[in-house]
Amino acid sequence: MTAIPQGRARRTVVVGAMCALVVTGTGLTGCSEDPDAGTNGVGKLPAATIQSKTRAAAASAHALRLSGNVVTSGRTYKLDMRLNGEGGSGSVTAEGTTFQLLRIGKELYLKAGADFWTQADGKGDDSDAAADKLDGKYVKVPSGDPAYKKFSGFTDKGVLLDGLLTLHGSLDTDGHHEQAGTRTIRITGDKGDGGTLDVSLEGQPYPLRLARAGGAGTLTFSAWGKDFPLTEPEKDETVDYGKQLPTS
């Protein structure tokens, strides 16, 4: 057996400890450890291939949770939605007002407080009476109402993911990172100007965090494949407003 000089042994221990600790906000750095060891391997692939694989994984998952902010048409929406192949449910906040959305198949319901409906319908005694009627109820959104197209998209897994999981410009990888305790590989469009997407290196290559191009919001994705119940509201909790909702 060959003896290891004491000084060299100390250096080996120190370097090993440093390698175990060198994890920064910009990813794993330094040392000779393979950051892709024990992962699903997508971290070694070109960025375009990673994007293709994460889109395919997202499409194949039956359910997920999506939360964060989306900026569209100059308005910021805060979302917290559970989505699956049949519909979705959750909350949306816009301009300080929060309302609930529930879609099962083609049926879309909106649930909000009286203040929401008063703002939507204007002022006056008739408005107050309508708002009281709709307060806390699941209001069925007519399919021909403009609100149906606008809000049903927030409950549609395919529509949301198709629109969100595309980075703009030339694609590249931007190191190894971590999202909620899960190791990720980050891909970017136009060095980040076209958006960034963190993709899981553990299990399926699901998207876990998206920063949209142009500061158009940041979203996190979780509970991939974990289904949840979508239940029709009781009749006494439901109001059929008619052909068109109040304009908001």
Side-chain angles (χ1 to χ4, degrees):
M1 178 180 295
T2 302
I4 301 176
Q6 187 176 6
R8 178 182 170 188
R10 281 198 300 267
R11 286 196 301 271
T12 301
V13 171
V14 171
V15 171
M18 290 177 63
C19 285
L21 293 173
V22 179
V23 180
T24 72
T26 56
L28 300 176
T29 62
C31 305
S32 60
E33 288 188 27
D34 180 359
D36 293 297
T39 71
N40 55 25
V42 298
K44 297 181 178 181
L45 302 176
T49 305
I50 297 173
Q51 178 172 254
S52 177
K53 284 185 173 293
T54 196
R55 289 176 66 92
S60 66
H62 182 64
L64 75 147
R65 181 177 181 179
L66 178 153
S67 58
N69 298 316
V70 172
V71 181
T72 179
S73 301
R75 179 173 292 185
T76 299
Y77 295 92
K78 181 180 179 182
L79 309 179
D80 188 359
M81 301 296 302
R82 298 293 301 269
L83 308 168
N84 65 24
E86 285 70 54
S89 67
S91 66
V92 179
T93 301
E95 297 184 350
T97 300
T98 299
F99 53 92
Q100 306 291 318
L101 290 176
L102 169 66
R103 184 178 63 83
I104 304 174
K106 294 183 178 180
E107 301 294 338
L108 176 66
Y109 300 91
L110 190 157
K111 181 180 179 180
D115 289 348
F116 173 89
W117 297 111
T118 300
Q119 292 174 6
D121 209 22
K123 297 180 179 180
D125 293 340
D126 291 342
S127 173
D128 291 342
D132 289 341
K133 179 183 178 182
L134 303 178
D135 180 27
K137 298 289 187 180
Y138 285 95
V139 179
K140 187 175 181 180
V141 182
S143 59
D145 190 281
Y148 186 94
K149 182 177 181 180
K150 177 186 291 186
F151 294 137
S152 64
F154 290 142
T155 66
D156 191 313
K157 173 179 176 284
V159 168
L160 270 178
L161 295 184
D162 283 347
L164 293 173
L165 298 181
T166 299
L167 301 177
H168 303 282
S170 58
L171 299 180
D172 203 351
T173 55
D174 186 29
H176 292 70
H177 298 260
E178 186 178 287
Q179 174 63 33
T182 299
R183 290 178 292 172
T184 66
I185 181 71
R186 180 171 297 171
I187 57 176
T188 66
D190 276 347
K191 300 186 183 302
D193 291 340
T196 67
L197 183 65
D198 280 40
V199 178
S200 177
L201 288 174
E202 302 175 18
Q204 293 294 319
Y206 292 128
L208 297 184
R209 183 182 183 276
L210 170 72
R212 301 181 72 205
T218 301
L219 294 161
T220 59
F221 308 88
S222 60
W224 285 102
K226 296 181 180 180
D227 208 357
F228 59 96
L230 284 171
T231 306
E232 290 275 0
E234 299 292 336
K235 288 187 177 181
D236 61 357
E237 297 179 313
T238 307
V239 174
D240 192 339
Y241 192 84
K243 292 184 178 180
Q244 188 168 349
L245 297 182
T247 301
S248 176

